[in-house]
Amino acid sequence: MDSNIVVAEHAQAAHRAVRHHFESAEQQRDASTVGMWVFLVTEIMFFGGLFLAYFAYRHAYPTAFASASNKTDLWIGAANTTVLICSSLTMALAVHCAATSKRMLLVVFLCLTLVLGSVFLGVKGYQYHDKWVHHEIPGQNFHCEGCADATHTPLFFSLYFGMTGLHATHMIVGVGILLVLIFQSWQGRFDAAWHTPIENFGLYWHFVDIIWIFLFPLLYLIDRSGKGLS
Amino acid sequence: MITAPPPVEVEKNYINAEHGLKSWLLTQDHKLIALLYLISVTAFFFIGGLFAVFIRLQLATPTGAMFDSNTYNKVFTMHGIIMVFFFLIPSIPATLGNFLIPLMVGAKDLAFPRINLLSWYIYIAGGLFTLWVLFNGGVDTGWTFYTPFSSSYSNGYVIAAGLGIFINGFSSILTGLNFIVTIHRMRAPGLTWFRLPLFVWAHYATSVIMILGTPVIAVTLFLLVLERGLHIGFFDPAYGGDPVLFQHLFWFYSHPAVYIMILPSMGVVSEVISTFCSKKPFGYTFIAFSSVAIAVFGFLVWGHHLFVSSQSVYAGMVFSVLSYIVAIPSAIKVFNWTATMYKGSVRLTTPMLYSLGFIGLFTIGGLTGLFLACLGMDVHLTDTYFVIAHFHYVMVGGAIMGYLAGVHFWWPKMFGRMYPEGWSKLSAVIIFVGFNLTFFPQFILGYMGMPRRYAAYPAEFQVLNVLSSAGASILGLGYLIPFVYLIWSLKYGKPAGPNPWGATGLEWQTASPPPTENFEITPVVTTEAYEYSTEEVVHVG
């Protein structure tokens, strides 16, 4: 117990970021990390509902899904996937720079992540606009040129917009948080001793990236030829 | 028991540490946030209760004297939405759990105090959405929001009501997240998992359901809003979708949600019974693990809500068997509580009366659940008053009895005052009688075939309905009495002292009301929980 108090006092002196109800900086970082992982579990369940809907309907209406998936632009989607994976790399490098107290490099990598994330969102916006122009948004004016099984084709597009829209919302939130983190990094708030927000945001960013890694094959790649999956 | 330094009544406590509205609305103290929740869930309880009064008035006569069918649809919908999402789900976790978990694990606060405050504001925002819906004409889908009625045909404010619940869900998620991290990372030195009070185990299991289940109802309502608002369809056959998928997604959360309501009550009852028998609970590990088992199996039974919804009969058989299995951990708890009382020196205090009521009513609610888990029986009973009676025995007879047991048990800790013992025992008895008179006739009505959610019924059902309405007025009176004497006790109650019940547990080692930091010095735990003969909680400086 005595040692704990000593540790706590030491940590208080060592870093202003330790809040009063924690015994030590280590306990605080531990708690934040566990909290972040628990949050990501809730996010998995959140997307899980949409993934379930996708699998149920894909299983029920394979023809509709195969022909409708041809309406997605494979190459733009692939390029965007690359952009997003690169943003995960720059994010990982940013965490490394924070852990090694390299302030300028941290700011640079966070900015790169911001730029790549924004490019992804811009391209996604372009693709949405394209769908709008071609009346491929479910609703009254929905029309899918050359799609098989007209009754169930809208489901593919509903899922496309539901899943990528929810993903994009997470990206937008991420970009907002990035702006704050860039500002705070610039001020020199993070160093080797305390950079939990950078670490935890990294977890979030990679999570959003991984969601896309699943969305891309499900919406763009699987059975584009319509030959079936067997 | 060795306690050094002895807990002394301190002038400064968490309530009078600071003054003014700002100190309440911007507090990060888990105890004050618990009181904010206590006030708000009580408000929602009485709003939801008002709609219950309307329902019972309407059903006092066969033709329905008060409302036309459309209005009646809105009345039972608002009753369901408010009671389920704004009272029952946050009731124990957000008030008692919030207040007690840091105290029970010997911490100064929850792991994330700001997130804790945020969760209350989210709850209020969701509640305001719901109240807006209420004052603008309501919603008529039932609390279950089944598609395609909710997405394509209903004339109510489905989107606003859905958003209210969607927003409120995040408050539940954040509470669960906070509890899990606190229980994992903030325990006092020496407080191992198997020294934790059973209340904490129950809340751990509850939190697991909150973080795994709530996001699914959130995304389900998100899809419902997309379908209704933007015609981006998922469930309506007009868009190629399948309404049964909605039911699967909805019940994937909403069945486990009944365990969010009942598990914390079970935690309360475990504490109360152990205290008032001055005995270690019989089979501590069994009670602890049965909470976890309920949380796990609770996720695998949602299909029993779909026995008549075109679900495959083979899926129905599996869900039926799994639903029977979830009765096992529930029964373990009931047996263990009973065994704890056996040869104990039972003190019939108010919390104990509520807990005994809980055991009896929860047993009836649980066993009638098995009737409904039975495929053949359910075809006859589905959507009848039998279902209504069943889940009110679990939620009102179970969850609310547990809530009142907990409020009475920890009230002296929260406010440092005792309530009048005579009045509180009287109201416990009134509530028990009123509850049974309200809901037992509904079992019979349902068995005779009276469907739920109807504004009128054949004349031969009137006697039982009048009994039920009469019971409801007794029950309502029973709920008003504690409301009055508890508030009275804040000023006029006898000072309670740190440990009025002679209970073990860290929360009783500190002052009543506790100081803002909970403990003067972080306690070190050297013994098991509930050591009524040789317990030893040492404060080392």
Side-chain angles (χ1 to χ4, degrees):
Chain A
M1 188 58 221
D2 289 43
S3 66
N4 266 355
I5 290 174
V6 174
V7 170
E9 280 170 356
H10 177 72
Q12 298 278 5
H15 214 288
R16 66 205 173 281
V18 179
R19 306 200 58 222
H20 78 281
H21 59 291
F22 289 109
E23 298 282 336
S24 65
E26 195 193 357
Q27 189 191 28
Q28 172 163 321
R29 194 181 58 234
D30 236 30
S32 304
T33 310
V34 174
M36 195 62 207
W37 280 103
V38 173
F39 175 73
L40 293 183
V41 169
T42 72
E43 287 280 25
I44 290 172
M45 296 307 288
F46 193 59
F47 279 95
L50 273 163
F51 278 96
L52 174 77
Y54 175 91
F55 286 118
Y57 289 142
R58 173 119 217 170
H59 178 72
Y61 316 115
T63 336
F65 273 60
S67 75
S69 69
N70 275 295
K71 294 286 169 184
T72 57
D73 192 320
L74 182 61
W75 293 109
I76 295 183
N80 226 6
T81 308
T82 315
V83 168
L84 202 57
I85 291 175
C86 289
S87 83
S88 252
L89 173 69
T90 54
M91 189 62 226
L93 290 170
V95 174
H96 178 73
C97 292
T100 47
S101 300
K102 291 179 182 133
R103 185 171 73 100
M104 279 318 292
L105 271 177
L106 169 63
V107 173
V108 168
F109 280 123
L110 287 179
C111 286
L112 276 176
T113 311
L114 179 76
V115 169
L116 290 168
S118 309
V119 168
F120 178 91
L121 282 170
V123 173
K124 204 72 232 161
Y126 166 77
Q127 288 186 311
Y128 280 7
H129 179 255
D130 198 50
K131 293 268 177 297
W132 172 266
V133 172
H134 290 96
H135 296 284
E136 285 164 4
I137 296 179
Q140 277 188 334
N141 296 316
F142 178 78
H143 176 68
C144 184
E145 194 76 39
C147 284
D149 188 0
T151 322
H152 298 113
T153 320
L155 277 180
F156 176 85
F157 290 99
S158 289
L159 285 164
Y160 173 84
F161 283 107
M163 295 170 108
T164 61
L166 203 57
H167 177 260
T169 312
H170 279 79
M171 294 281 297
I172 292 168
V173 171
V175 165
I177 298 172
L178 260 176
L179 286 170
V180 177
L181 289 179
I182 289 170
F183 179 68
Q184 292 183 336
S185 306
W186 178 258
Q187 289 182 318
R189 292 269 285 272
F190 307 115
D191 52 29
W194 187 72
H195 54 279
T196 317
I198 302 280
E199 261 179 352
N200 282 346
F201 179 75
L203 289 174
Y204 174 82
W205 194 258
H206 297 317
F207 166 80
V208 176
D209 191 5
I210 287 169
I211 290 287
W212 180 259
I213 304 287
F214 281 96
L215 290 184
F216 179 60
L218 290 180
L219 296 170
Y220 288 74
L221 296 181
I222 293 178
D223 200 25
R224 278 177 87 91
S225 63
K227 286 176 187 157
L229 292 174
S230 58
Chain B
M1 190 176 98
I2 304 161
T3 315
V8 284
E9 190 81 38
V10 282
E11 286 288 312
K12 277 282 178 205
N13 59 52
Y14 76 102
I15 300 173
N16 63 19
E18 284 183 72
H19 292 282
L21 193 62
K22 208 177 129 195
S23 75
W24 281 82
L25 294 181
L26 295 178
T27 182
Q28 290 176 24
D29 182 355
H30 66 102
K31 299 181 288 302
L32 283 180
I33 297 170
L35 297 193
L36 291 176
Y37 263 118
L38 181 67
I39 295 164
S40 15
V41 301
T42 306
F44 275 106
F45 174 72
F46 281 106
I47 298 172
L50 187 66
F51 284 98
V53 171
F54 290 156
I55 291 172
R56 286 323 314 170
L57 282 174
Q58 168 82 1
L59 296 179
T61 55
T63 47
M66 271 190 87
F67 310 109
D68 60 30
S69 304
N70 283 328
T71 317
Y72 182 72
N73 291 343
K74 292 176 179 173
V75 168
F76 70 69
T77 302
M78 294 316 292
H79 170 68
I81 289 176
I82 289 174
M83 283 302 201
V84 169
F85 294 108
F86 294 94
F87 174 70
L88 283 166
I89 287 173
S91 60
I92 296 184
T95 57
L96 299 174
N98 219 338
F99 194 97
L100 292 163
I101 285 174
L103 284 163
M104 285 180 166
V105 303
K108 293 194 184 80
D109 207 318
L110 287 173
F112 309 115
R114 276 179 295 199
I115 287 180
N116 194 20
L117 181 64
L118 177 67
S119 86
W120 182 72
Y121 277 102
I122 293 175
Y123 169 79
I124 292 298
L128 289 179
F129 259 89
T130 307
L131 291 179
W132 182 88
V133 170
L134 182 63
F135 289 117
N136 280 277
V139 61
D140 61 351
T141 57
W143 75 280
T144 46
F145 291 101
Y146 272 16
T147 54
F149 178 69
S150 60
S151 63
S152 302
Y153 303 104
S154 162
N155 286 321
Y157 290 95
V158 177
I159 292 181
L163 283 177
I165 297 167
F166 178 85
I167 293 168
N168 182 43
F170 289 95
S171 119
S172 186
I173 289 172
L174 293 179
T175 303
L177 186 152
N178 227 335
F179 287 175
I180 286 180
V181 176
T182 305
I183 296 168
H184 269 283
R185 284 289 176 265
M186 308 287 283
R187 281 173 284 128
L191 188 53
T192 59
W193 280 88
F194 290 99
R195 287 175 178 175
L196 284 174
L198 290 163
F199 182 86
V200 177
W201 273 95
H203 273 78
Y204 188 79
T206 309
S207 306
V208 168
I209 304 174
M210 282 173 160
I211 63 149
L212 292 181
T214 320
V216 178
I217 189 80
V219 79
T220 310
L221 292 169
F222 169 71
L223 298 185
L224 174 63
V225 169
L226 281 186
E227 176 160 318
R228 187 175 166 93
L230 301 174
H231 303 290
I232 295 183
F234 297 91
F235 307 118
D236 188 340
Y239 303 114
D242 187 345
V244 179
L245 180 68
F246 177 87
Q247 296 183 24
H248 278 290
L249 288 171
F250 179 83
W251 288 112
F252 182 82
Y253 166 75
S254 297
H255 193 79
V258 306
Y259 301 114
I260 295 179
M261 304 169 200
I262 199 73
L263 274 169
S265 281
M266 293 169 157
V268 169
V269 169
S270 302
E271 298 295 320
V272 169
I273 288 185
S274 163
T275 300
F276 294 115
C277 298
S278 300
K279 264 176 82 180
K280 215 180 167 86
F282 182 83
Y284 169 94
T285 39
F286 273 88
I287 300 183
F289 277 124
S290 64
S291 291
V292 180
I294 288 174
V296 172
F297 285 111
F299 271 110
L300 305 174
V301 302
W302 80 89
H304 65 221
H305 295 270
L306 284 80
F307 284 163
V308 296
S309 298
S310 83
Q311 175 183 255
S312 129
V313 70
Y314 300 105
M317 285 154 80
V318 173
F319 280 121
S320 174
V321 170
L322 287 167
S323 304
Y324 279 111
I325 288 177
V326 88
I328 296 171
S330 313
I332 286 175
K333 283 185 190 289
V334 171
F335 294 143
N336 283 9
W337 292 324
T338 318
T340 307
M341 283 185 279
Y342 179 67
K343 291 193 174 169
S345 53
V346 181
R347 281 179 283 161
L348 286 178
T349 56
T350 312
M352 190 66 180
L353 288 181
Y354 279 115
S355 297
L356 292 173
F358 173 97
I359 296 177
L361 301 180
F362 171 74
T363 304
I364 295 176
L367 288 175
T368 49
L370 294 182
F371 291 38
L372 296 165
C374 169
L375 279 170
M377 195 74 177
D378 186 62
V379 172
H380 175 66
L381 294 175
T382 205
D383 273 339
T384 66
Y385 264 84
F386 193 90
V387 178
I388 305 292
H390 152 67
F391 74 71
H392 280 86
Y393 264 79
V394 176
M395 292 181 190
V396 186
I400 298 184
M401 284 292 206
Y403 177 66
L404 288 171
V407 166
H408 284 85
F409 187 54
W410 283 291
W411 190 264
K413 178 52 63 184
M414 295 167 93
F415 299 103
R417 301 273 181 180
M418 299 301 291
Y419 42 81
E421 191 69 17
W423 280 104
S424 60
K425 281 183 181 165
L426 178 70
S427 69
V429 172
I430 291 176
I431 288 174
F432 185 81
V433 171
F435 172 82
N436 280 297
L437 190 57
T438 311
F439 291 105
F440 199 83
Q442 297 184 5
F443 278 127
I444 304 167
L445 282 169
Y447 183 74
M448 287 160 71
M450 178 168 163
R452 67 190 289 194
R453 295 181 169 174
Y454 275 42
Y457 53 83
E460 66 258 36
F461 293 147
Q462 190 176 7
V463 175
L464 288 166
N465 269 297
V466 167
L467 274 180
S468 181
S469 293
S473 58
I474 297 174
L475 185 60
L477 176 72
Y479 287 139
L480 282 175
I481 299 173
F483 184 73
V484 174
Y485 68 69
L486 285 177
I487 290 176
W488 176 88
S489 77
L490 290 179
K491 196 162 164 62
Y492 303 103
K494 281 197 312 248
N499 191 357
W501 311 122
T504 63
L506 289 176
E507 80 269 29
W508 302 107
Q509 309 296 323
T510 189
S512 308
T516 303
E517 297 276 293
N518 290 347
F519 300 97
E520 306 274 307
I521 297 149
T522 305
V524 177
V525 182
T526 54
T527 54
E528 310 297 303
Y530 313 107
E531 287 287 340
Y532 274 96
S533 43
T534 56
E535 94 275 25
E536 186 180 15
V537 178
V538 188
H539 291 77
V540 182

